[in-house]
Amino acid sequence: VPLASGEVVVWDTISDDGVTIDVTTTSADGAIAGITVTSFETADVVGNSAADHEGRRNWGYIQVYGRALAYVNRGGGNAYAAGDPFITSVDSGAVTRFEASTATYLNGQIITTINRSRKGGFFMDASAGAGDDRAEVFISLE
């Protein structure tokens, strides 16, 4: 599958080569690998190892730390503010604002929980509206 610059990608957990990435439609996918910096073409050779694809057109760069531009709100309207954490979205290749889950305990007190292992970083600015295509983010997967 070709990938454009700015797409959030995850590790392909089915592949056995240790370098294959793909987009996901799973919100808060724990296998987040980074944000594409370059475009990736489709594979032009068939094989099961990274060596089979060495030097071919399906290689590119992903960013795992620092400022980046990421696709966001593809067809959605999930507003975000500067500092809000982001995660993978149900929109293929996009990020979305992390919304903390809540649990109610016997005493009626609501506790907010955040699963830190599934966050990818934070938004560096606020959304301009539902038509946003890309957002400036700070990714931190180290």
Side-chain angles (χ1 to χ4, degrees):
V1 175
L3 300 172
S5 173
E7 292 193 87
V8 64
V9 291
V10 295
W11 294 111
D12 185 339
T13 56
I14 298 172
S15 174
D16 63 356
D17 65 11
V19 295
T20 302
I21 58 172
D22 204 351
V23 293
T24 186
T25 56
T26 301
S27 180
D29 194 319
I32 185 171
I35 296 172
T36 56
V37 177
T38 60
S39 61
F40 289 68
E41 299 296 326
T42 56
D44 59 354
V45 79
V46 176
N48 291 328
S49 72
D52 293 335
H53 298 277
E54 185 176 354
R56 304 295 180 169
R57 64 184 181 162
N58 57 317
W59 287 89
Y61 293 94
I62 61 172
Q63 186 169 350
V64 297
Y65 186 84
R67 292 171 64 149
L69 285 176
Y71 280 106
V72 65
N73 292 344
R74 288 185 167 177
N78 190 4
Y80 52 88
D84 283 349
F86 73 80
I87 54 174
T88 60
S89 174
V90 295
D91 297 327
S92 179
V95 298
T96 190
R97 177 175 54 98
F98 178 79
E99 296 179 16
S101 59
T102 59
T104 303
Y105 291 86
L106 293 176
N107 64 5
Q109 182 180 11
I110 297 177
I111 306 296
T112 300
T113 59
I114 298 176
N115 184 342
R116 297 188 186 282
S117 66
R118 298 201 185 255
K119 291 192 323 187
F122 62 90
F123 289 98
M124 295 192 68
D125 55 8
S127 61
D132 287 354
D133 185 43
R134 290 188 186 212
E136 189 173 3
V137 299
F138 191 95
I139 187 166
S140 180
L141 297 178
E142 296 183 327

